Amino acid sequence: MTDVRLDGRASDGGPGSLLPSARPVRFLTDAGAAARPRPRYPAPGPDLLRRAYRAMVVGRRFDAQATALTKQGRLAVYPSSHGQEACQVGAVLALDDGDWLFPTYRESVALVTRGIDPAEALSLLRGDAHCGYDPHRYRVAPQCTPLATQTVHAAGLAYAEQRKGTGRVALACVGDGGTSEGDFHEALNFAAVFKAPAVFFVQNNEYAISVPLERQTAAPSLAYKGVGYGIRSERVDGNDPVAVLAVLAAAVEHARSGKGPFLVEAHTYRLESHTNADDATRYRADSEPEEWRRRDPIARLEAYLRRRGHLTDEDVAAAAAEAEDLAARTRAALNADPHPAPLELFEHVYGTPTPQLDEQRAFLRDELEAEEVQS
């Protein structure tokens, strides 16, 4: 039997340390300068960082536009990810096209970064459909509203891809509140036992709705929850785009190479309320978001790239123009009235419809045809 020491290392020369870094991995200071000492993870190249910058600028404008649409009644609800753009974009850019992303309801920016049309990405939050895009086309599972159930789905799909020998990885996003759910722990245990190629990406934004982190866990950090299941874990500054890309790239490669799952905890912050239906001023001081604004991920990456000559005024202007174009297309799409097809309710419920489902579909079809005749 393998003897694992307290530092997480196997005494027989087996797996490396499971323990996360004592402090979150960071490449950049809050002002966007290079941090010292340099982390052990390879730094992403300038092309990828420019791509991340563009995606974050576009994503933040999309997020602001979606928030405005809730005030106009065009969206039923919207969970903003303002301030978490490094996590949203990093989760997508760390994956290959064939890999799978399992999002929560807060990952709308990640969906747009993956190439999903904004109107399709917002279908759930508008109330038009449970999922407005084709999951298989984009390799993105439907956005999950129940907490942490997507982690179980990701573990199962990752195991299936392993059995098929595809080399694909599944990355599941989850919030700090989701780590208190039983599904999260079942997913970690299953993935660890079967060495499924899954990455569990915890965006610790300090609050599960109105409940602060210290009411969620007594662990030193959420990353330590992976250690008990035998999962390699790491902590990262979630507002440092360079660090997020570096750590997630290493996590994905770890999973893809057959070493089993990887858990990453990103320390970040949601600057807006939980959703437009929430009032964050009831449970946090005004000074708290202001402190986190000084760690803005877009400003940090822009400063870093400019210092190294990898970003010009023209690049910044181009990203802003692309962001405005996407916002305009989002407005146009959401300002158009939807035309739901009621019979689509019965699609994708079962692979083979049950007799009861066929009966219900036929009943609704007859009702619709009768109304059409009367009109």
Side-chain angles (χ1 to χ4, degrees):
M1 182 174 67
T2 301
D3 178 24
V4 180
R5 306 200 311 251
L6 291 179
D7 65 356
R9 295 185 182 276
S11 60
D12 62 357
S17 176
L18 302 175
L19 295 174
S21 301
R23 296 179 179 178
V25 175
R26 68 186 328 215
F27 278 71
L28 306 180
T29 66
D30 291 351
R36 292 290 188 268
R38 295 194 62 81
R40 63 180 179 273
Y41 296 93
D47 289 344
L48 180 59
L49 292 178
R50 280 195 298 268
R51 185 181 170 195
Y53 172 79
R54 179 197 60 79
M56 288 196 299
V57 170
V58 171
R60 177 166 293 181
R61 183 65 185 89
F62 166 78
D63 187 89
Q65 183 61 71
T67 299
L69 287 168
T70 63
K71 299 176 182 179
Q72 300 167 12
R74 290 297 181 180
L75 287 179
V77 66
Y78 184 72
S80 173
S81 57
H82 185 186
Q84 297 181 219
E85 291 87 0
C87 296
Q88 295 280 303
V89 170
V92 173
L93 297 189
L95 299 174
D96 289 346
D97 290 342
D99 295 331
W100 278 84
L101 177 69
F102 284 77
T104 72
Y105 50 80
R106 198 176 296 279
E107 263 66 64
S108 295
V109 169
L111 267 58
V112 171
T113 304
R114 189 70 164 175
I116 296 174
D117 181 85
E120 295 181 350
L122 294 172
S123 289
L124 171 68
L125 302 173
R126 194 183 192 187
D128 292 346
H130 291 299
C131 182
Y133 52 88
D134 181 352
H136 290 278
R137 176 184 176 187
Y138 297 103
R139 293 291 195 271
V140 178
Q143 284 181 280
C144 215
T145 303
L147 294 185
T149 55
Q150 74 279 1
T151 59
V152 180
H153 304 158
L157 185 138
Y159 179 57
E161 298 288 7
Q162 177 198 72
R163 293 290 300 268
K164 292 188 291 186
T166 64
R168 293 171 179 162
V169 171
L171 186 150
C173 296
V174 64
D176 47 294
T179 65
S180 297
E181 299 290 324
D183 301 73
F184 175 76
H185 296 272
E186 292 173 12
L188 263 59
N189 192 57
F190 178 93
V193 169
F194 293 100
K195 300 191 72 173
V199 175
F200 299 97
F201 185 36
V202 180
Q203 294 179 60
N204 177 4
N205 63 15
E206 302 293 327
Y207 289 93
I209 307 183
S210 60
V211 179
L213 183 64
E214 59 266 22
R215 296 283 300 276
Q216 287 288 328
T217 182
S221 82
L222 297 176
Y224 283 84
K225 293 182 181 292
V227 177
Y229 296 103
I231 294 178
R232 173 77 176 93
S233 303
E234 187 55 280
R235 304 168 69 197
V236 64
D237 179 346
N239 283 27
D240 178 347
V242 183
V244 171
L245 286 167
V247 172
L248 284 180
V252 169
E253 177 56 29
H254 176 99
R256 197 187 309 280
S257 62
K259 297 178 182 177
F262 200 113
L263 187 150
V264 176
E265 177 192 9
H267 294 265
T268 184
Y269 193 82
R270 59 167 170 84
L271 291 170
E272 304 295 335
S273 297
H274 179 70
T275 69
N276 55 294
D278 174 42
D279 180 8
T281 62
R282 297 178 62 185
Y283 53 85
R284 67 186 189 190
D286 292 342
S287 59
E288 191 174 299
E290 289 307 312
E291 173 64 26
W292 280 89
R293 290 184 197 279
R294 290 193 283 272
R295 308 173 195 174
D296 181 80
I298 297 178
R300 288 169 77 178
L301 183 57
E302 180 176 337
Y304 178 75
L305 290 175
R306 282 184 179 275
R307 283 191 178 98
R308 280 161 173 69
H310 297 315
L311 194 71
T312 65
D313 290 341
E314 290 75 16
D315 296 328
V316 173
E322 183 179 349
E324 288 303 325
D325 178 69
L326 182 75
R329 289 191 286 114
T330 303
R331 285 195 303 273
L334 272 294
N335 283 333
D337 291 331
H339 298 284
L343 291 177
E344 289 183 357
L345 283 170
F346 301 95
E347 296 180 7
H348 313 299
V349 179
Y350 293 102
T352 301
T354 63
Q356 294 85 354
L357 200 65
D358 284 334
E359 181 181 352
Q360 294 168 17
R361 187 181 190 280
F363 177 81
L364 178 59
R365 184 191 63 234
D366 292 343
E367 289 285 318
L368 294 172
E369 290 176 352
E371 287 183 6
E372 186 175 349
V373 170
Q374 293 175 4
S375 61

